[in-house]
Amino acid sequence: MKLTEIMKQRMALSFEVFPPKTDAGMEKLPDTLNHLYEFDPDYISCTYGAGGTNVGRNMDVCKLILSADNRTVPVTHFTCIGNTREEIKKQLDAYLEAGVDHMLALRGDLPFGWTGTNGDFAYATDLVKFVKDNYGDKIEIAVAGSPEGHIACRSLEADISFLKQKQDNGADYIMTQLCWDMEQFKRWLDGIRKAGVTMPVDVGIMPILDMAATINMALSRNACVMDRELCEIISRHWIFPNPFVKDPFDAAVDQKKEDFKKEGIAYTIRQIDKYRALGVDGIHLYALNKWKDVSEILNQSGIKTLV
Ligand code: FAD
């Protein structure tokens, strides 16, 4: 089943999970997935660790999704990091043999201290072309889109032109980087359409649940703009001396964490409303392997009954 076909008919709903690092985490994953299946997601994507870490577990997670008795499609993330042509072919053959025929083709986050991919391909555009040339329509290919521009792009225009190149090379649809700045998202959407990018746009949304994780996600790699509303939520519940220390001296820390999460969930729901009102082709929730909070967001947002 082509996910792009679904997105032509209606808005898709999907989740992103990551391969647990420990055996204990892996044992808990089926229960998490079972709860996520209740929302009848069109697909669940699984992240692919930089430098090949967790690659084996990524395949295990995809197989777990395939073995479930429902129609949820597993989508594997796949990166250029440390991968030669031969290794890419070997891995993709193994995914296909296992029944996984959907991928998110990425350059990948460069491991700390690396200046390039140390693989045969420097950019996702090349990976997309390689997959298309070797597998034709056997694999449906998603690619990343950065509404604020990728952190290393020389300009937003250049970044958009590389997105068009991904489409020309055979990509099928876009999964976006998180973006809280709705005005920027609209500008980017207009920009990519003007540039001839016609691929469906599946919007990546990170639930706001934890203060340190939110700031970390925004600033450690992506330089995402936090809008005034989100900054206010952070400021109102700031954990002193700061949310990153292990044992904060702030006596109200537990209450602040709880209040932050409550307001964060409400904020996430408002973001989903705004994206849906823009007519995006899909909502892709970074589920962070946390089904309870994700369920609360989806139940409160009303998305389940409408999808
Ligand atoms: P590219 O599209 O290759 O772009 C990288 C940079 O190079 C950009 O600045 C672009 O403007 C520039 N560029 C692109 N093509 C060219 C060219 N031909 N010439 C010159 N410059 C060019 N990372 C992981 O490691 N594992 C994951 O599982 C993972 N999952 C992700 C899921 C989503 C939904 C998203 C949005 C990102 C994910 N990432 C993941 C992060 C991603 O790998 C990083 O953002 C990475 O830094 C860029 O990947 P890309 O595919 O966008 O790169």
Side-chain angles (χ1 to χ4, degrees):
M1 163 64 90
K2 288 262 180 208
L3 294 163
T4 39
E5 290 305 317
I6 292 176
M7 288 186 237
K8 271 185 208 157
Q9 292 161 22
R10 61 170 170 78
M11 198 189 76
L13 173 67
S14 61
F15 302 115
E16 174 183 298
V17 297
F18 57 84
K21 285 204 171 70
T22 61
D23 290 341
M26 205 60 198
E27 275 165 30
K28 272 201 248 157
L29 192 64
D31 182 54
T32 302
L33 291 173
N34 283 337
H35 281 96
L36 295 178
Y37 296 146
E38 285 174 16
F39 294 96
D40 201 15
D42 296 296
Y43 72 89
I44 295 181
S45 77
C46 180
T47 61
Y48 182 98
T53 52
N54 275 329
V55 171
R57 281 223 158 104
N58 167 295
M59 171 74 93
D60 293 342
V61 174
C62 289
K63 283 183 179 166
L64 198 60
I65 297 166
L66 265 181
S67 69
D69 189 20
N70 64 36
R71 54 179 200 91
T72 303
V73 168
V75 175
T76 181
H77 297 200
F78 196 90
T79 75
C80 305
I81 306 293
N83 269 328
T84 60
R85 284 182 177 79
E86 290 71 32
E87 283 156 357
I88 293 170
K89 185 111 200 345
K90 213 164 113 192
Q91 289 176 65
L92 291 183
D93 285 348
Y95 277 107
L96 275 179
E97 202 175 313
V100 181
D101 53 5
H102 293 72
M103 73 186 288
L104 170 60
L106 299 156
R107 183 201 65 182
D109 281 325
L110 301 183
F112 186 70
W114 291 31
T115 51
T117 62
N118 288 345
D120 280 350
F121 301 130
Y123 301 109
T125 40
D126 303 330
L127 176 61
V128 171
K129 185 163 180 346
F130 179 80
V131 176
K132 201 69 187 174
D133 287 351
N134 282 276
Y135 297 95
D137 287 334
K138 279 193 198 150
I139 299 179
E140 191 174 34
I141 309 170
V143 286
S146 302
E148 297 178 67
H150 180 263
I151 182 74
C153 70
R154 40 173 199 269
S155 67
L156 189 58
E157 289 76 15
D159 214 36
I160 289 176
S161 67
F162 295 129
L163 192 56
K164 173 67 165 53
Q165 204 173 342
K166 291 179 189 180
Q167 175 176 289
D168 294 345
N169 287 356
D172 294 293
Y173 67 102
I174 302 165
M175 280 192 216
T176 63
Q177 187 55 269
L178 66 96
C179 176
W180 295 302
D181 182 347
M182 293 305 297
E183 292 312 310
Q184 176 56 29
F185 183 86
K186 287 181 210 166
R187 276 194 293 276
W188 173 81
L189 196 56
D190 279 352
I192 66 165
R193 295 308 186 216
K194 276 189 192 128
V197 177
T198 53
M199 292 184 280
V201 173
D202 197 0
V203 174
I205 295 181
M206 191 185 86
I208 306 293
L209 305 172
D210 176 83
M211 190 183 292
T214 302
I215 299 170
N216 193 36
M217 190 71 183
L219 299 181
S220 67
R221 284 189 185 273
N222 305 311
C224 286
V225 166
M226 286 186 268
D227 64 1
R228 173 77 193 186
E229 205 182 331
L230 182 53
C231 289
E232 281 180 7
I233 298 173
I234 292 173
S235 290
R236 259 199 304 279
H237 305 292
W238 186 258
I239 294 164
F240 289 95
N242 66 64
F244 299 103
V245 298
K246 220 167 166 222
D247 295 307
F249 57 68
D250 194 328
V253 60
D254 292 340
Q255 188 61 47
K256 283 183 173 180
K257 280 188 174 178
E258 199 181 303
D259 292 346
F260 177 84
K261 193 198 256 194
K262 205 167 151 204
E263 286 195 34
I265 285 176
Y267 175 87
T268 306
I269 293 168
R270 286 195 293 281
Q271 283 261 312
I272 292 175
D273 290 343
K274 287 176 193 167
Y275 279 123
R276 291 175 78 191
L278 280 181
V280 297
D281 302 293
I283 295 288
H284 180 62
L285 265 183
Y286 305 151
L288 312 165
N289 295 15
K290 290 181 175 166
W291 66 267
K292 276 190 192 146
D293 298 318
V294 169
S295 301
E296 189 177 340
I297 289 167
L298 290 179
N299 284 327
Q300 281 188 36
S301 75
I303 208 168
K304 188 185 173 188
T305 51
L306 294 179
V307 167

